[in-house]
Amino acid sequence: MNPTTSQTPQAPTAESDHGERPADSLDEAATEAEGERAVREGSGPGADADSDPDRDSGPGSGPDDGLDDDPDHDLEDDDSHRAPSGLVAASAAVVAAGLGVVGLTGAWTGRVVAERETLLGQMKTASGGSVAQQISEIYGDAWHSTALVNGLFALLALLVGVFALVRPAFGAPGDPQPGWVRAFATAGIALGVLGVLISVGMYFDLIVALPAASAAAG
């Protein structure tokens, strides 16, 4: 048995494989060079992804898209809307209490009106008049004018106090009022009601009547 006749020639195959590999490498290098050139020129498939700004700026494209709704910013907006409503209610409650006190004790406007009516009564009765007429013109009209002015202040205190209590129902129902605001508003309403009742009684001579002419003469 001859050993030289049983072996197959392997060198040509190796040489043929070695000859085909450089050609494949050249083809792959050429393909990659064309792809890079197309990307640089903006005509390749990768150019659309790189040159399309809408894809990067669309919804859900960035990590910060879900952070736009800041809860702290929403709370600040809610506080900015609630602050004017609470300030108005608090101011109205304090004003109502003050007006109620003025309605009970009287104001300088009431004294001015009373003095004016007194002066007018003296002018009317300067040329003469009965005792009843002098009482009515000089004293009665001034008394009624003071009661009217005080009653207007008391009525205003009542209305402002009611507004301060019902203001949250029209502004922010979920935001309760502070206790001191409700206390001032309630005090204004109570003083207003009391002032209106007293003023009505004084104006119509229900609490204290005018002096009678017979008692003045005697």
Side-chain angles (χ1 to χ4, degrees):
M1 183 175 183
N2 191 0
T4 60
T5 61
S6 62
Q7 295 178 356
T8 59
Q10 299 295 329
T13 302
E15 291 176 0
S16 63
D17 294 337
H18 181 71
E20 292 177 358
R21 288 177 181 175
D24 295 336
S25 300
L26 292 174
D27 293 338
E28 292 176 359
T31 302
E32 292 178 359
E34 291 179 357
E36 292 177 356
R37 187 182 303 109
V39 170
R40 287 195 300 269
E41 294 177 357
S43 60
D48 296 336
D50 295 335
S51 62
D52 191 0
D54 296 334
R55 294 185 180 180
D56 295 335
S57 62
S61 61
D64 297 335
D65 292 337
L67 300 178
D68 292 338
D69 297 334
D70 190 1
D72 295 335
H73 182 68
D74 294 339
L75 291 176
E76 291 178 358
D77 292 341
D78 294 339
D79 293 339
S80 64
H81 289 296
R82 291 177 182 177
S85 177
L87 182 61
V88 170
S91 301
V94 175
V95 170
L99 290 174
V101 173
V102 172
L104 286 177
T105 60
W108 67 271
T109 53
R111 290 194 298 271
V112 170
V113 173
E115 291 176 357
R116 180 179 180 276
E117 293 296 330
T118 300
L119 179 60
L120 292 176
Q122 292 176 355
M123 293 172 60
K124 290 179 180 179
T125 59
S127 59
S130 62
V131 176
Q133 184 180 3
Q134 291 179 358
I135 293 174
S136 175
E137 294 291 339
I138 298 175
Y139 182 72
D141 290 346
W143 188 344
H144 295 161
S145 298
T146 302
L148 179 61
V149 173
N150 293 342
L152 291 177
F153 276 102
L155 180 61
L156 188 58
L158 174 62
L159 296 177
V160 175
V162 172
F163 170 78
L165 282 182
V166 303
R167 179 66 178 86
F170 299 96
D175 190 11
Q177 285 183 340
W180 68 270
V181 174
R182 295 193 300 270
F184 270 85
T186 305
I189 293 174
L191 293 175
V193 172
L194 184 60
V196 168
L197 293 178
I198 293 176
S199 297
V200 170
M202 296 291 289
Y203 186 84
F204 292 102
D205 300 331
L206 299 178
I207 298 176
V208 179
L210 290 174
S214 60

